[in-house]
Amino acid sequence: MDRVSLGGRAADAAGLLAGYGLDALLGDPRRFHPVAGFGTLAQRLERRVYRDDRRAGAAYTLIAVGAPAMLGVAAALATRGRPVSRFVVTAAATWTVLGGRTLRAEGRRMAGFLRGGDLPGARRRLNYLCGRDPAALDEAELARATVESVAENTSDAVVAPLWWGAVAGVPGLLAYRAANTLDAMVGHRSARYARFGTAAARLDDVLNLGPARLTALLTVASAPRVRGRRAEALRVWRRDRADHPSPNAGQCESAMAGALGVRLGGRNVYFGRSETRPYLGDGPRPDFRHIARAAKLSGTVGVASVALAAAVAFARPRRRAAVAR
C-alpha cells in the first residue's frame, strides 16, 4: 500500500509539472481543443434545459460540471496502482486545462499593437482576452483592460487549475475547468442569464476563493521580478482588494496594480451595459510597457504555483495516512 501510495502521489506531482511544461512549450492545442469541445456540448445541453429560472440553471450546472468530474474520477480509478498511466493522464489533463502560455502571448500581442500605435488592431484583439466593448477605448483603456485581464486570468487559467489538481487530482482539474468555462458562458449579468447563470457564477466564485488569494500573494512576492516593490504591492493589495465587485478578481488586480505601480479600475463598457468600479492602486494608467511586465509577472507566478501544486500533490496522501494512524 505504501509503494502504491508513493507511486500515485509521485505520478500526480510529476504529471502536474509535465502538464505545465507542455502548456509553457506548446500552448493550447490549435485544433480539437477539449475545452472547446466541452463548450459545444454545454451549449447543446443549454438549449435542451434552458428556462429563465435559477433551478434550471442549477440543474444545468450540476450536469455540465458533474460529467467531467465523474470522467476524472473514472480516470483516477483506472490508473490507481499504475503510476506511468497516472502520470500520462495527469499530464494530459493539466495541459488541457491550463492557458498560461496563450494568456501571456495575447498580452504581448496587445502590447505590440499599442507600441506600434495600431488602435484598430488592438481593439479587434481585445475580445480574445475579455468581454468589454472595445469600440471607444483609447490606448490607456485598452492597456488597462489587458493588464486587468492578465491579472485575473493568471488565477483562472493557471493558479486555480493547478490548485484543484493538487487538491483533488484529475477530477479536480476537469471539474474546475468545466465550472470556469461555464461561468464564462452563462455566468454574466445579461437578460438571458441573470437567473439561469446564477449557479454557475456562484460555483466559480467559490472554487476561486483560495486560488485568487494565492495568486495575489504570489504576485506580491514576485513583484521584484518586474522592478516592483513587495511592500508597495502588499500595501495596495491589503487596501484595495475588497473594492472590486467580484470577490476574487479584486484580489488579483489590486496585487498586480501594486506590483506594477499603476492604477487600475474605472468605467468598463460591455455590450449593452456599463459598470463603474473603484480605482485599484496608485500611479499612472498603464501603457504597453506595463502589459509586457504584467505578462512577465504572470509567468513568474505560474512557475511558483506549479512548484507549490506539485509539493501539495506529493504530500496529500501522506497527510491522510498520518491522520488515519
Side-chain angles (χ1 to χ4, degrees):
M1 176 65 74
D2 287 344
R3 286 194 298 272
V4 170
S5 176
L6 177 62
R9 64 176 182 256
D12 285 343
L16 290 171
L17 291 168
Y20 182 89
L22 287 170
D23 176 68
L25 181 64
L26 303 175
D28 291 336
R30 293 181 180 271
R31 300 178 62 187
F32 309 115
H33 196 304
V35 175
F38 167 80
T40 299
L41 293 175
Q43 287 178 331
R44 293 176 182 173
L45 176 63
E46 179 193 338
R47 288 196 290 267
R48 290 178 174 273
V49 305
Y50 178 83
R51 294 195 309 277
D52 189 18
D53 64 63
R54 294 186 177 184
R55 288 186 178 180
Y60 169 71
T61 302
L62 179 63
I63 297 169
V65 177
M70 290 301 100
L71 178 63
V73 170
L77 292 175
T79 57
R80 186 177 182 182
R82 300 167 61 192
V84 174
S85 298
R86 182 68 159 261
F87 164 76
V88 171
V89 168
T90 303
T94 303
W95 178 33
T96 296
V97 304
L98 292 182
R101 179 186 173 94
T102 298
L103 173 64
R104 295 189 297 274
E106 287 298 331
R108 287 191 288 267
R109 190 171 286 114
M110 285 292 293
F113 282 126
L114 296 179
R115 184 187 302 110
D118 185 359
L119 294 186
R123 289 177 183 134
R124 287 193 298 270
R125 200 70 194 183
L126 183 65
N127 290 142
Y128 285 79
L129 283 167
C130 64
R132 298 180 200 179
D133 185 351
L137 298 186
D138 60 14
E139 179 181 351
E141 286 301 295
L142 288 165
R144 175 173 73 87
T146 303
V147 170
E148 290 174 355
S149 296
V150 169
E152 182 177 0
N153 285 298
T154 297
S155 178
D156 288 355
V158 182
V159 178
L162 291 169
W163 168 294
W164 288 108
V167 170
V170 173
L173 289 166
L174 300 186
Y176 172 77
R177 178 47 63 208
N180 187 248
T181 303
L182 217 62
D183 176 62
M185 294 173 63
V186 306
H188 43 86
R189 299 173 184 173
S190 65
R192 178 176 174 84
Y193 297 125
R195 285 177 287 273
F196 183 79
T198 297
R202 296 293 177 268
L203 177 60
D204 184 71
D205 284 344
V206 170
L207 293 178
N208 279 291
L209 286 173
R213 285 146 184 82
L214 176 60
T215 301
L217 290 171
L218 292 175
T219 300
V220 168
S222 303
R225 177 82 170 124
V226 292
R227 304 187 304 279
R229 295 189 296 117
R230 291 191 181 100
E232 177 65 8
L234 180 63
R235 181 187 71 82
V236 171
W237 173 59
R238 294 179 65 181
R239 185 192 69 188
D240 296 344
R241 58 186 173 177
D243 290 344
H244 197 286
S246 165
N248 299 316
Q251 303 285 333
C252 310
E253 291 180 18
S254 60
M256 181 69 79
L260 298 180
V262 297
R263 187 180 70 175
L264 302 177
R267 183 169 178 263
N268 293 345
V269 178
Y270 300 92
F271 295 91
R273 62 185 177 90
S274 67
E275 296 179 3
T276 299
R277 298 175 178 176
Y279 291 121
L280 308 175
D282 306 308
R285 304 298 265 173
D287 59 27
F288 68 86
R289 294 168 294 184
H290 298 106
I291 296 174
R293 292 170 62 200
K296 183 176 182 180
L297 186 55
S298 176
T300 302
V301 169
V303 171
S305 66
V306 74
L308 285 173
V312 171
F314 187 80
R316 184 185 66 234
R318 180 180 295 172
R319 290 200 303 269
R320 288 179 180 174
V323 171
R325 287 196 295 270

